[in-house]
Amino acid sequence: MERCAPLSVVLIAAAFFASAGALTAAPVGAPSDFIRSSCRVTQYPRLCERCLSTYKLPIRRSPRGVALAALSVSVDKARAASAFARRTSAGTRSREAGAVKDCVETMQDSVDQLRQSVAEMGRLGRSRSPRFAWHLSNVQTWVSAALTDADTCLDSLSQNAGPVIRAAIRKRVVEVAQVTSVALALVNRIDPKT
């Protein structure tokens, strides 16, 4: 069910990891102590552990590294949910089609904001640098906006989509909202002063 991250996200993440120093990989399948302790601060610690312990690239053992990995997972999940909603819209009746189209558009906005966030993480630089807090604030704003987009999609579906379409898309969008909430919690742990 999990898809590979888009090439641009993988390249940005790889560049970040390469410039950030030594990498430490989490064992596949079982969360490392670092991932487990990082995920405790999130609203969905089990989901966080599951997503990060199966992450395709090594996760740098720092708040920045784990936040970047969580953002990359969010991008992948949002992209998959948007594509699923787009495929699901074929053959829907007009009112339902409009709700699904609105959902697809808001989920694509979410993908764009999450991709921007991944790119902005690469611009953070040194934590005490003058621009660090500004770049970090951008990431927080865009990830929050991506969460709002997921809620907007769900609202549109709840008002205008039939139960079968609503349930199918809702399941994926709720997962996007949850992994994005995890990413935001991990981004919020990054301290611009250390």
Side-chain angles (χ1 to χ4, degrees):
M1 185 185 281
E2 297 216 5
R3 294 195 166 136
C4 293
L7 182 58
S8 61
V9 173
V10 172
L11 291 175
I12 290 168
F16 174 79
F17 289 134
S19 68
L23 302 176
T24 304
V28 176
S32 70
D33 290 339
F34 173 72
I35 290 174
R36 190 174 293 110
S37 67
S38 296
C39 289
R40 280 190 197 124
V41 302
T42 71
Q43 188 173 357
Y44 307 100
R46 287 191 181 142
L47 176 66
C48 176
E49 289 175 20
R50 182 171 44 91
C51 288
L52 295 180
S53 64
T54 59
Y55 185 66
K56 291 150 191 71
L57 293 175
I59 297 175
R60 194 168 142 252
R61 295 175 67 95
S62 70
R64 261 197 240 194
V66 75
L68 180 62
L71 285 169
S72 296
V73 169
S74 294
V75 169
D76 194 36
K77 296 287 187 187
R79 188 178 48 80
S82 179
F84 177 81
R86 187 176 299 110
R87 286 190 310 273
T88 304
S89 68
T92 56
R93 56 188 205 279
S94 62
R95 183 174 176 174
E96 191 170 64
V100 173
K101 181 180 178 219
D102 290 347
C103 182
V104 168
E105 289 173 5
T106 58
M107 290 310 298
Q108 190 54 52
D109 288 345
S110 184
V111 169
D112 293 342
Q113 290 158 342
L114 291 166
R115 282 182 178 160
Q116 278 183 288
S117 297
V118 169
E120 195 76 357
M121 288 287 291
R123 296 183 196 105
L124 285 177
R126 298 182 63 110
S127 59
R128 292 188 181 260
S129 68
R131 308 273 299 170
F132 184 90
W134 183 75
H135 290 296
L136 183 59
S137 175
N138 287 342
V139 173
Q140 292 166 323
T141 299
W142 294 330
V143 176
S144 295
L147 274 172
T148 300
D149 286 335
D151 287 341
T152 301
C153 170
L154 292 173
D155 288 345
S156 178
L157 290 173
S158 70
Q159 296 170 10
N160 300 308
V164 173
I165 296 290
R166 181 175 50 239
I169 296 173
R170 184 182 189 286
K171 177 182 176 184
R172 285 155 179 86
V173 174
V174 165
E175 185 176 28
V176 170
Q178 290 173 343
V179 296
T180 303
S181 169
V182 164
L184 183 59
L186 295 172
V187 164
N188 287 339
R189 288 190 60 214
I190 300 171
D191 185 359
K193 295 177 179 137
T194 60

